């Protein structure tokens, strides 16, 4: 029985073409700046985002950490959402390793941060307070796409307030495909952008942080400091390059699968949040644990969260949708 793993889009296997690209990648010692495949990946993504430089890192967590530490010094502060990955899911790294104080604010239902709420959280220039330096947004946020008009407003706001603006764009390409826009339509509003290659893009490892030359030079130094300098990692970068060349437009299929799952669940009477990209959120409440066990017997892997998240990706095939919906139907009857 082939498993259908809906926990995350990080569970994908490298595709045959990707494995081939990895096998044949030219490599070198990247700490010496001599890995041609890593350099090509960094330059390719930076160019796509219209930014001067890129930095290949092992994970999205490290990418965000380096961004926060490059924008902020000890005793500085960044503002982000209560549910933002940088705040909630990165083990407090910016505080622990960067001595950077997070200032989380409530998020809006669409994944944005109300800029008036952000304004109220900015600290006055007074030695009682941390220095507010940065606003960090996330796009997509729980599968939701931030409107381009909002990004423009956030850019104008941060300019006016003298803050830098960082994008945790782990799933930025899902937003690009959903909006049918160019990567630069999103990235041009930000000082720095972090993109995950190992989510929907399907690479086994890696993220790329992009920004201007001085910012990336600082991040490169910090990357070494936190142990993220890798050597012949061109074999990994090759997977990322392959993903950027061959596995971006197909994200549309993931979005389609998610919509089909959501519609089917609604027809079964479940309360499903509107789907925009590759995530389906369904209210399971106290039944989540039982559902997880029930589906596991049928080869469908879920988490047990009451607000259950199911994520589609390149290993969720069109024919899997029917099995998923059948399992939910059987669970409903059971
Ligand atoms: C996954 C994710 C990250 C971190 O990526 P890792 O490679 O798992 O460290 C950061 N931000 C968001 C929004 C993510 O979904």
């Amino acid at each position: 029985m082939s498993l259908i793993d809906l926990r995350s889009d990080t569970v994908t296997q490298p595709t045959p073409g990707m494995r081939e690209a990895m096998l044949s990648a030219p490599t070198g010692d990247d700490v010496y700046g001599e890995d041609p495949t890593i350099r090509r990946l960094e330059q390719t993504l930076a160019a796509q985002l219209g930014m001067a430089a890129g930095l290949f890192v092992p994970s999205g967590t490290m990418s965000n950490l380096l961004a926060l530490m490059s924008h902020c010094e000890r005793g500085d502060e960044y503002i982000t959402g209560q549910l933002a990955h940088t705040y909630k899911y990165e083990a407090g790294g910016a505080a622990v390793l960067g001595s950077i104080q997070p200032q989380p604010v409530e998020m809006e239902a669409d994944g944005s941060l109300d800029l008036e709420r952000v304004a109220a959280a900015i600290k006055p220039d007074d030695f009682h307070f941390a220095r507010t330096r940065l606003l960090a947004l996330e796009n997509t946020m729980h599968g939701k796409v931030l409107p381009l008009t909002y990004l423009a407003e956030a850019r104008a706001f941060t300019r006016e307030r003298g803050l830098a603006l960082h994008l945790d764009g782990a799933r930025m390409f899902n937003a690009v495909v959903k909006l049918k826009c160019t990567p630069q339509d999103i990235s041009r509003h930000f000082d720095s952008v972090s993109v995950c290659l190992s989510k929907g893009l399907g690479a086994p490892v890696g993220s790329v942080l992009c920004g201007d030359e001085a910012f990336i030079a600082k991040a490169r130094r910090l990357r070494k400091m936190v142990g993220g300098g890798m050597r012949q990692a061109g074999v990994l970068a090759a997977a990322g390059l392959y993903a950027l060349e061959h596995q971006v437009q197909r994200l549309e299929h993931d979005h389609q699968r998610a919509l089909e799952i959501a519609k089917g669940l609604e027809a079964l009477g479940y309360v499903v949040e509107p789907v925009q990209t590759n995530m389906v959120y369904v209210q399971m409440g106290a039944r989540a644990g039982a559902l997880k066990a029930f589906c596991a017997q049928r080869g469908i892997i879920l988490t047990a969260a009451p607000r259950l998240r199911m994520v589609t990706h390149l290993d969720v095939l069109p024919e899997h949708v029917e099995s998923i919906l059948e399992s939910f139907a059987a669970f409903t009857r059971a």
Side-chain angles (χ1 to χ4, degrees):
M1 182 168 60
S2 80
L3 296 177
I4 306 170
D5 193 339
L6 297 171
R7 290 171 301 170
S8 177
D9 46 9
T10 55
V11 299
T12 57
Q13 294 290 329
T15 54
M18 180 177 279
R19 286 174 192 263
E20 235 165 76
M22 295 172 77
L23 266 179
S24 59
T27 58
D29 188 328
D30 184 54
V31 173
Y32 291 130
E34 291 171 3
D35 190 299
T37 308
I38 290 179
R39 292 175 75 139
R40 192 154 74 85
L41 171 65
E42 291 172 344
Q43 285 161 8
T44 299
L45 193 58
Q48 283 190 19
L49 301 191
M51 290 185 156
L55 184 69
F56 183 56
V57 291
S59 69
T61 299
M62 187 184 290
S63 189
N64 281 328
L65 174 67
L66 301 185
L68 293 169
M69 289 178 69
S70 297
H71 285 299
C72 303
E73 301 298 327
R74 296 182 66 201
D76 288 350
E77 169 184 88
Y78 76 104
I79 297 176
T80 196
Q82 282 285 1
L83 300 174
H85 202 281
T86 55
Y87 173 61
K88 193 169 176 190
Y89 299 100
E90 295 179 6
V96 176
L97 301 167
S99 301
I100 302 161
Q101 166 170 294
Q103 171 61 67
V105 299
E106 287 306 318
M107 308 189 69
E108 303 307 301
D110 67 357
S112 70
L113 302 181
D114 176 3
L115 296 175
E116 279 180 31
R117 216 192 282 278
V118 174
I122 295 174
K123 311 287 183 291
D125 181 9
D126 174 320
F127 59 64
H128 288 85
F129 303 121
R131 285 170 303 229
T132 311
R133 288 281 194 221
L134 174 73
L135 175 62
L137 299 177
E138 191 172 312
N139 194 14
T140 61
M141 169 69 206
H142 285 194
K144 291 175 192 140
V145 179
L146 298 182
L148 296 178
T149 49
Y150 172 74
L151 301 186
E153 286 164 23
R155 173 75 284 181
F157 170 86
T158 49
R159 273 219 181 96
E160 197 181 292
R161 299 307 186 105
L163 303 182
L165 186 58
H166 172 68
L167 177 64
D168 177 356
R171 297 188 178 84
M172 171 182 163
F173 280 98
N174 292 87
V176 167
V177 166
K178 174 67 184 183
L179 294 176
K180 297 187 184 359
C181 68
T182 66
Q184 290 189 32
D185 288 335
I186 293 175
S187 61
R188 69 192 178 87
H189 298 295
F190 294 89
D191 297 300
S192 56
V193 176
S194 169
V195 177
C196 280
L197 303 165
S198 59
K199 300 279 167 81
L201 295 181
V205 179
S207 286
V208 179
L209 178 63
C210 293
D212 68 26
E213 294 279 1
F215 171 86
I216 290 299
K218 190 170 177 188
R220 193 176 290 278
R221 179 183 176 79
L222 290 164
R223 183 185 69 171
K224 191 77 187 79
M225 189 186 290
V226 298
M230 299 185 287
R231 305 296 177 172
Q232 288 72 26
V235 288
L236 303 175
L241 271 170
Y242 183 89
L244 289 176
E245 281 160 24
H246 302 282
Q247 297 183 169
V248 172
Q249 278 316 313
R250 64 150 306 288
L251 290 170
E252 218 171 285
H253 301 298
D254 298 346
H255 301 173
Q256 188 56 33
R257 295 293 88 74
L259 256 182
E260 291 163 8
I261 293 170
K263 280 192 181 147
L265 292 181
E266 267 169 1
L268 290 170
Y270 286 94
V271 178
V272 187
E273 295 175 28
V275 166
Q276 293 186 21
T277 57
N278 68 332
M279 293 190 188
V280 181
Y281 283 93
V282 52
Q283 297 303 331
M284 290 307 301
R287 292 176 298 168
L291 175 73
K292 178 185 165 174
F294 185 86
C295 284
Q297 290 176 339
R298 297 163 157 257
I300 297 169
I301 308 178
L302 302 175
T303 68
R307 178 181 174 235
L308 176 65
R309 181 185 83 163
M310 289 180 282
V311 188
T312 55
H313 49 72
L314 59 80
D315 291 335
V316 177
L317 307 176
E319 58 267 30
H320 289 161
V321 173
E322 209 179 302
S323 325
I324 294 163
L325 293 176
E326 270 170 14
S327 292
F328 270 83
F331 177 74
T332 313
R333 290 192 301 269

